[in-house]
Amino acid sequence: MEKNLGMIERKKKSIQADILKLQQQMDQKDSVVFLKEEAGLKRRVHDEAKSLSVIDEALPIEKFTCPASFKMVFSETSDDFKQVSVTLDAETAHPELQVSENRKNVRQNGNWVHLREDNGKRFMSSPCVLGSEGFTSGRHYWEAEMRNFHGWTLGVAAESVERRGWVKRSPKAGVWSIRRSGELFEAFTCPATSLPVRPIPNRVGVYLIYESGTVSFYDADTKSHLHTFNGYKFTEKLYPFFWVRGGNWMRIGSGSAPGV
């Protein structure tokens, strides 16, 4: 019996150490990355926790349970993301941007289109366009493909983002994004964070988890993580955001979320 008690106590301490490590990682990673890396650990913790139960009711052994925060993470990440079929809002497109008839492609054509109406939604100084659908809750995923051109920015933007002047692509300005400019590949943090991924991906997936204030980016071909903005408090509607430099088409799609 003493051997059994010692084994149970050692397992309990091991699990507690694992949970402490996971809780620390939760502060640094979005829930999708967390689940992807720790899914196997969840199974092990569950199996070991079950082995701590003792049949003999006379033994005063307290049953070990995981903290609520630990359970919450796995509960959240088990939910499905909504695969968004993004269409572009042509009324937001900068006058030099050409949006295809099906509103799934955009490029910079170099010609300023003179528009009579001023709807107040259009970007007038930066080559940007927004998705048609905005989000105030939920978990969403979409992709964009940028083959054969090297000037783009992807992410999400708040509804109040600057439309008339130059768009500052930073969270303080209501934009959470990454960009490629030639061989420069970075996230628009403050200061900017260089992304050392090579080769620079041609197809990128964007995750939005509104309630946790998370925006994550993945190489949609290799399913590898690129960057995460985490812990923001979103208070207004967010839209898919695209910044296009170059005459080739950027293609917008829904794709398949990695790890989901």
Side-chain angles (χ1 to χ4, degrees):
M1 186 64 66
E2 290 181 358
K3 289 182 179 180
N4 288 338
L5 289 175
M7 180 181 67
I8 291 171
E9 186 63 29
R10 287 193 296 273
K11 287 185 177 181
K12 179 177 178 181
K13 289 181 179 180
S14 175
I15 294 172
Q16 288 174 325
D18 287 340
I19 290 173
L20 178 60
K21 178 182 176 182
L22 294 178
Q23 288 176 319
Q24 292 172 343
Q25 292 175 340
M26 286 161 53
D27 295 332
Q28 302 174 358
K29 301 180 179 180
D30 72 296
S31 57
V32 176
V33 180
F34 180 80
L35 176 61
K36 186 177 180 181
E37 296 180 354
E38 304 297 341
L41 183 58
K42 174 190 175 184
R43 190 177 302 109
R44 182 167 67 84
V45 170
H46 176 72
D47 293 341
E48 291 185 353
K50 289 174 61 178
S51 69
L52 297 182
S53 61
V54 178
I55 297 176
D56 189 348
E57 296 180 356
L59 290 175
I61 299 178
E62 184 176 334
K63 184 178 180 180
F64 177 75
T65 57
C66 296
S69 59
F70 183 78
K71 292 180 178 179
M72 179 183 67
V73 170
F74 288 116
S75 174
E76 284 186 359
T77 53
S78 65
D79 295 336
D80 287 339
F81 277 79
K82 179 182 178 183
Q83 307 296 314
V84 182
S85 180
V86 172
T87 57
L88 300 171
D89 183 354
E91 293 186 351
T92 67
H94 183 272
E96 287 188 355
L97 295 185
Q98 179 184 354
V99 177
S100 64
E101 290 186 7
N102 66 0
R103 298 190 295 158
K104 302 291 288 184
N105 303 276
V106 60
R107 68 177 180 179
Q108 185 182 41
N109 60 24
N111 298 318
W112 185 285
V113 178
H114 294 280
L115 304 167
R116 294 181 180 179
E117 75 281 3
D118 183 3
N119 56 33
K121 297 170 57 178
R122 193 176 305 281
F123 292 95
M124 297 303 296
S125 298
S126 301
C128 306
V129 62
L130 299 179
S132 298
E133 181 184 2
F135 312 107
T136 56
S137 65
R139 305 151 66 84
H140 310 277
Y141 177 83
W142 61 92
E143 292 179 1
E145 184 174 333
M146 302 77 57
R147 299 192 186 277
N148 301 318
F149 77 99
H150 299 163
W152 51 262
T153 300
L154 297 175
V156 300
E159 189 169 29
S160 63
V161 67
E162 175 65 45
R163 309 292 179 100
R164 315 305 291 182
W166 191 256
V167 177
K168 296 179 180 179
R169 290 161 283 179
S170 70
K172 287 185 177 181
V175 179
W176 294 263
S177 63
I178 64 173
R179 75 155 174 174
R180 176 177 187 176
S181 179
E183 291 306 306
L184 177 67
F185 190 39
E186 63 184 3
F188 275 102
T189 54
C190 188
T193 300
S194 178
L195 304 179
V197 178
R198 292 295 183 275
I200 298 174
N202 291 314
R203 194 161 62 97
V204 173
V206 183
Y207 279 102
L208 168 63
I209 311 177
Y210 193 97
E211 285 76 10
S212 64
T214 300
V215 182
S216 291
F217 301 88
Y218 286 79
D219 182 326
D221 291 320
T222 66
K223 311 302 184 187
S224 59
H225 176 249
L226 299 174
H227 183 76
T228 292
F229 295 90
N230 197 25
Y232 289 88
K233 185 174 178 59
F234 298 141
T235 58
E236 58 181 293
K237 186 175 289 188
L238 301 178
Y239 290 85
F241 173 84
F242 310 93
W243 175 302
V244 182
R245 287 285 196 190
N248 293 310
W249 290 100
M250 174 188 286
R251 186 176 66 84
I252 316 302
S254 56
S256 175
V260 177

